[in-house]
Amino acid sequence: MRVEIWSDVACPWCYIGKARFEQGLAAFANKDDVEVVFRSFELDPQYPKGQTVEVLPMLAKKYGMSVEQAKQAEARVAANAADAGLRYLADGRDHGNTFDIHRLLHFAKTRGKQNELLDLAYAANFAEERSVYDAERLVELAVQAGLDEAEVRAVLADEQAFADAVREDEREAQMLGANGVPFFVLDRKFGVSGGQPAEVFTQALEEAWAARTPEPLKVVGGTAPEGAVCGPDGCEIP
Amino acid sequence: MRVEIWSDVACPWCYIGKARFEQGLAAFANKDDVEVVFRSFELDPQYPKGQTVEVLPMLAKKYGMSVEQAKQAEARVAANAADAGLRYLADGRDHGNTFDIHRLLHFAKTRGKQNELLDLAYAANFAEERSVYDAERLVELAVQAGLDEAEVRAVLADEQAFADAVREDEREAQMLGANGVPFFVLDRKFGVSGGQPAEVFTQALEEAWAARTPEPLKVVGGTAPEGAVCGPDGCEIP
């Protein structure tokens, strides 16, 4: 079974939701047969690359509240994070454009290191006051995740590398009806919106598992003589 | 889009079919948005582990033909392989149990090296007279694929490691109606049976691409207040 998780490193509920999902997954009997893939979703794609802003004044402006009120709101998010076993800095974080992080997460997927890199990026952004809006920091995190430094630098230097993969994920999110993140899709049949309690994820996994009986496949190419196959009784001989 | 390919390293048409599929994929406009996953299918699961037999006498016995006739049949498979740009030894290969190779391919998937290992295993088995039915040879191939030797040895030594993943693939093959391999499944909607000509794969990829519009997802967990999400206009504040 396959779970796709649309998320953004700049998204607090994605950080918390990932931990809650993992708790829900741990309680699921067939957890060893679940493949998890992370998909790209930018919360703020228009934010200029290379610039950052402090989170609290940004939130205050966005919601028309005082910086003090924004800080209280962030403290409530931090309490949710703590419940999920996560450290969360309610103050001192920055915000910026996440396109390059998404490109790098796609590269990490090709090397089997996507989950590692995402965990490190979340920790840097939310728990450690280490900005992820900086190319050198991304190189550092990627190497820590087990990726090759020269390859990582090449991906970051080439703005086209994995750019289509990021955009394709975002198109798919739209097709699937995701207006916000985190957004969880199970076998392209079941969806969970938001960082829900762990039990909701366990329930969704159980429902998707029970619904696994596949639709009949549409056969392309028929059983032409060129469709040479091997079965338990041997191989077709040309 | 996602293509799953059920195959076995002992299967000549899987070796040839992989090359034909890759040719068909290369001619497909959206090839960069295609993810390929290899799934396990054992042609001869009852064959005792640790034993091998020469291929030609084995085929002669299986099909009730002379060894010379088996050799001629293998030469015709070799001609098909050559058409696909592959070297194929019609004589001198051995046959055995592939369960450990499948376990190792599952481990390689977790490290982003599945395709590399499979290519090396096919080449060893079909092109190079290097038996793949030998733990030390598997270690050698896995290291060549970029895997960590100690981790590879640990996987091979633990008979349970990835064993369920292999069996689950085989159950899924059955559910999907695959009686032989190679068996190609596109987005769990379209199927191609056998090592068909490259054009069939291109056509299947085009049909599956056109059919990508998803069914509406079944929502689990609703939009409970705990379903905290972030969208373009900001995050839910608890």
Side-chain angles (χ1 to χ4, degrees):
Chain A
M1 198 163 65
R2 186 192 212 204
V3 179
E4 296 163 281
I5 308 178
W6 273 262
S7 55
D8 193 1
V9 174
C11 155
W13 291 114
C14 299
Y15 173 53
I16 296 166
K18 182 174 191 290
R20 289 179 175 174
F21 168 77
E22 285 165 359
Q23 288 168 15
L25 179 63
F28 173 57
N30 299 97
K31 58 175 176 279
D32 292 337
D33 292 312
V34 175
E35 227 175 307
V36 179
V37 180
F38 292 92
R39 302 243 171 252
S40 300
F41 190 107
E42 294 165 279
L43 279 182
D44 198 356
Q46 305 309 327
Y47 199 86
K49 197 179 148 174
Q51 290 180 32
T52 58
V53 61
E54 279 181 56
V55 163
L56 289 183
M58 183 271 287
L59 291 178
K61 194 174 160 198
K62 182 173 239 167
Y63 297 113
M65 48 168 71
S66 70
V67 170
E68 191 45 46
Q69 285 171 318
K71 196 167 176 173
Q72 285 162 12
E74 280 288 279
R76 292 194 292 276
V77 177
N80 276 272
D83 278 345
L86 299 170
R87 186 169 142 81
Y88 186 95
L89 299 166
D91 194 356
R93 294 187 292 109
D94 59 359
H95 175 79
N97 184 294
T98 57
F99 195 72
D100 280 353
I101 310 180
H102 285 295
R103 293 197 299 113
L104 205 57
L105 284 165
H106 272 278
F107 167 67
K109 178 149 70 98
T110 70
R111 298 291 185 270
K113 299 290 184 193
Q114 193 183 41
N115 190 57
E116 287 82 348
L117 179 59
L118 184 57
D119 277 342
L120 289 166
Y122 276 140
N125 188 42
F126 290 113
E128 297 167 10
E129 283 186 271
R130 295 160 72 206
S131 176
V132 291
Y133 305 103
D134 172 284
E136 282 307 311
R137 174 63 40 73
L138 289 183
V139 171
E140 194 183 293
L141 294 171
V143 169
Q144 206 181 332
L147 296 167
D148 178 81
E149 181 173 341
E151 288 187 331
V152 167
R153 289 192 186 276
V155 169
L156 290 174
D158 175 6
E159 288 190 0
Q160 292 313 306
F162 298 97
D164 282 351
V166 175
R167 292 190 195 105
E168 177 61 22
D169 279 0
E170 295 179 334
R171 268 193 300 273
E172 288 203 325
Q174 225 171 5
M175 287 201 321
L176 291 161
N179 303 310
V181 282
F183 192 77
F184 302 78
V185 176
L186 296 83
D187 274 349
R188 293 278 165 132
K189 279 190 196 145
F190 292 82
V192 177
S193 173
Q196 306 246 3
E199 305 75 52
V200 171
F201 292 112
T202 309
Q203 188 199 330
L205 288 161
E206 281 162 359
E207 288 189 27
W209 186 264
R212 272 186 326 143
T213 317
E215 305 284 310
L217 296 174
K218 283 164 205 145
V219 174
V220 180
T223 50
E226 300 91 337
V229 292
C230 300
D233 299 325
C235 296
E236 282 181 20
I237 299 177
Chain B
M1 196 161 67
R2 184 191 212 204
V3 178
E4 296 163 280
I5 307 178
W6 274 262
S7 54
D8 192 2
V9 175
C11 156
W13 291 113
C14 300
Y15 174 51
I16 296 167
K18 181 174 192 290
R20 289 178 176 175
F21 168 77
E22 285 165 359
Q23 286 167 18
L25 179 63
F28 174 57
N30 299 98
K31 57 175 176 281
D32 292 338
D33 293 312
V34 175
E35 226 175 308
V36 178
V37 179
F38 292 92
R39 301 242 172 253
S40 300
F41 190 106
E42 293 166 278
L43 279 182
D44 198 356
Q46 305 309 326
Y47 199 86
K49 197 179 149 175
Q51 291 181 32
T52 58
V53 61
E54 278 181 59
V55 163
L56 289 183
M58 182 271 286
L59 291 178
K61 192 173 161 200
K62 182 173 238 166
Y63 297 113
M65 48 168 72
S66 69
V67 170
E68 190 48 45
Q69 285 170 319
K71 196 168 177 174
Q72 284 161 15
E74 279 289 277
R76 292 193 292 276
V77 178
N80 275 271
D83 277 346
L86 298 171
R87 187 170 143 81
Y88 186 95
L89 299 167
D91 194 357
R93 295 187 290 111
D94 60 358
H95 175 79
N97 184 295
T98 57
F99 194 71
D100 280 353
I101 310 181
H102 285 295
R103 294 198 298 111
L104 205 56
L105 284 165
H106 271 278
F107 167 66
K109 177 146 73 96
T110 69
R111 298 293 185 266
K113 299 289 183 193
Q114 193 184 39
N115 190 57
E116 286 82 349
L117 179 59
L118 184 56
D119 277 342
L120 288 165
Y122 276 140
N125 189 41
F126 290 113
E128 297 167 10
E129 283 185 272
R130 294 161 73 205
S131 175
V132 292
Y133 305 103
D134 172 283
E136 282 307 309
R137 172 63 39 73
L138 289 184
V139 171
E140 194 182 295
L141 294 172
V143 169
Q144 207 182 332
L147 295 167
D148 178 80
E149 181 173 340
E151 287 186 331
V152 167
R153 288 191 185 279
V155 169
L156 289 173
D158 174 6
E159 288 190 0
Q160 291 314 305
F162 299 96
D164 282 351
V166 175
R167 292 191 194 104
E168 176 62 22
D169 279 0
E170 295 179 334
R171 268 193 299 273
E172 286 203 328
Q174 225 170 6
M175 288 203 319
L176 291 162
N179 302 312
V181 281
F183 193 76
F184 303 77
V185 175
L186 297 83
D187 273 351
R188 294 277 164 130
K189 279 190 197 146
F190 292 82
V192 177
S193 172
Q196 306 246 4
E199 305 75 51
V200 171
F201 292 113
T202 310
Q203 188 198 329
L205 288 161
E206 281 162 1
E207 288 188 30
W209 186 263
R212 275 185 324 144
T213 317
E215 306 284 308
L217 297 173
K218 283 164 205 145
V219 174
V220 180
T223 49
E226 300 92 335
V229 292
C230 300
D233 299 326
C235 297
E236 282 181 20
I237 299 177

